[in-house]
Amino acid sequence: MKKTIFITGASSGIGKATALYFFYKGWNVAATMRSPEKDEELSKLEGINVYKLDVTNLEEISAVTSKIYQDHGRIDVLLNNAGYAEVGAFEKSKDEEVRAQFDVNVFGAMNLTREIIPYFRKQGEGTIINVTSVGGKMTFPLYSIYSASKWALEGFAESLQYELQQFNIKIKNVEPGPIKTDFYSRSQNVFENEAVSGYENYEKNILGNMSKAGAKAPGPEIVAKTIFKAATDGRSTLRYPAGGKAKFILFFRKVMPGHFFNKLVSKTMERR
Ligand SMILES: NC(=O)c1ccc[n+]([C@@H]2O[C@H](COP(=O)([O-])OP(=O)(O)OC[C@H]3O[C@@H](n4cnc5c(N)ncnc54)[C@H](OP(=O)(O)O)[C@@H]3O)[C@@H](O)[C@H]2O)c1
């Protein structure tokens, strides 16, 4: 029987590249997205079914999971990929922006995970893969809210792995470094707050350096390949850095004393 992957945020970037990668590997793909009417590519491929899903909508989560299960007879992998970044000086942020970040990046993934567990228990197996980030193991300036969301997902998965092991359910985190997608443009909300000043030059410099890093980064196929490895290697490995820079960054994070590592980050990110 063909295996099935259920992907959130499959309209672009890593989610879309993963849908295509698994399709070409012979899997059934349930590609979910907020606006399926805009899709011009995935739904044309036999073997990829496109569904509407906003990960902040609990009713949609329940209905679409059930529909995907019915359509395919099973679900082997859930990929919690949908995500974006709230960025800028924390002092400028609003409560609703912080909550929106957690609604998508954290509560979306948690609600999908809670929904899929009974299906995986019934099947006697299943794998949940979260697209976290190197920003879930270290931090970048002006990404405090985004990092908090990805650190939350890292802790969530690390704890959850223990209780799910008895049901043969694996949970894994794929941690990309910088990847060239819409993440550095339409998937970032930069805080606007005229009442707060003093961060203009700092923000201009850091966000400029970030978007340059994004523009020079490799494409999302490299992450899709790592997701495929995480889905098929049969191991209980929790973390998979994705992309050469991710391995390098996380290696230094591991071996360097924290304050040296943080100095290295500020030096690199604050360069003019
Ligand atoms: N690119 C990087 O450098 C990088 C590095 C580390 C981690 N990541 C992570 O990789 C994941 C994918 O991002 P990407 O780089 O591929 O960027 P992307 O091309 O901008 O894709 C983001 C996806 O998330 C979807 N999304 C946002 N809010 C959603 C919601 N409420 N419900 C459902 N889908 C929603 C977007 O859908 P719409 O089309 O409807 O907006 C889009 O499909 C994110 O979790 C991101 O944090 C990216």
Side-chain angles (χ1 to χ4, degrees):
M1 192 178 190
K2 262 172 110 174
K3 292 198 165 185
T4 300
I5 182 169
F6 168 179
I7 302 174
T8 68
S11 64
S12 66
I14 293 168
K16 185 172 183 181
T18 304
L20 291 168
Y21 195 91
F22 276 71
F23 168 76
Y24 287 116
K25 289 284 184 184
W27 285 49
N28 287 319
V29 178
T32 72
M33 55 190 75
R34 282 192 290 198
S35 311
E37 68 283 0
K38 291 187 191 155
D39 171 67
E40 287 177 355
E41 194 179 344
L42 298 183
S43 54
K44 294 203 176 119
L45 299 168
E46 203 172 318
I48 300 188
N49 291 324
V50 172
Y51 303 84
K52 177 174 168 20
L53 175 63
D54 179 329
V55 300
T56 64
N57 184 324
L58 272 173
E59 279 158 25
E60 273 186 22
I61 287 177
S62 172
V64 89
T65 307
S66 161
K67 178 87 175 87
I68 291 169
Y69 188 79
Q70 275 172 24
D71 288 352
H72 299 89
R74 60 182 287 116
I75 299 171
D76 296 279
V77 176
L78 164 68
L79 181 70
N80 284 316
N81 163 74
Y84 78 104
E86 294 282 351
V87 301
F90 174 70
E91 192 185 349
K92 292 171 69 184
S93 68
K94 294 185 195 73
D95 181 60
E96 61 257 33
E97 290 168 319
V98 177
R99 286 177 193 278
Q101 180 72 105
F102 275 73
D103 276 344
V104 177
N105 291 15
V106 183
F107 304 137
M110 286 182 177
N111 287 329
L112 275 145
T113 299
R114 193 188 301 103
E115 190 66 33
I116 204 81
I117 290 172
Y119 292 91
F120 284 176
R121 286 185 63 177
K122 198 160 100 183
Q123 288 175 179
E125 62 183 341
T127 302
I128 299 157
I129 303 177
N130 301 314
V131 179
T132 63
S133 171
V134 291
K137 297 291 288 171
M138 46 87 63
T139 58
F140 297 101
L142 301 178
Y143 279 72
S144 59
I145 300 309
Y146 177 73
S147 286
S149 76
K150 294 296 184 178
W151 281 54
L153 266 191
E154 287 282 346
F156 171 63
E158 186 173 309
S159 172
L160 192 56
Q161 64 176 336
Y162 303 119
E163 74 208 46
L164 293 183
Q165 210 170 12
Q166 63 188 309
F167 303 118
N168 200 21
I169 300 173
K170 296 183 171 67
I171 182 153
K172 304 184 171 208
N173 288 338
V174 168
E175 301 162 332
I179 300 293
K180 191 175 180 179
T181 64
D182 293 350
F183 181 76
Y184 296 91
S185 49
R186 71 180 183 92
S187 291
Q188 301 225 346
N189 176 54
V190 183
F191 305 135
E192 297 284 346
N193 188 339
E194 282 173 12
V196 178
S197 61
Y199 293 104
E200 297 75 12
N201 291 338
Y202 190 74
E203 284 187 336
K204 195 169 167 215
N205 188 33
I206 299 278
L207 298 180
N209 285 339
M210 263 293 181
S211 77
K212 271 185 226 155
K216 277 195 288 189
E221 296 71 25
I222 198 167
V223 185
K225 203 171 163 187
T226 305
I227 291 168
F228 189 77
K229 183 174 175 219
T232 56
D233 67 4
R235 293 171 185 253
S236 300
T237 310
L238 178 63
R239 296 191 165 95
Y240 295 76
K245 279 243 168 72
K247 288 188 186 126
F248 176 80
I249 294 168
L250 293 178
F251 173 75
F252 279 106
R253 171 62 167 178
K254 207 169 179 175
V255 299
M256 279 173 98
H259 60 285
F260 281 126
F261 182 80
N262 295 339
K263 271 212 170 109
L264 186 68
V265 172
S266 64
K267 237 185 152 171
T268 313
M269 294 310 304
E270 289 167 9
R271 74 192 182 279
R272 298 209 163 255

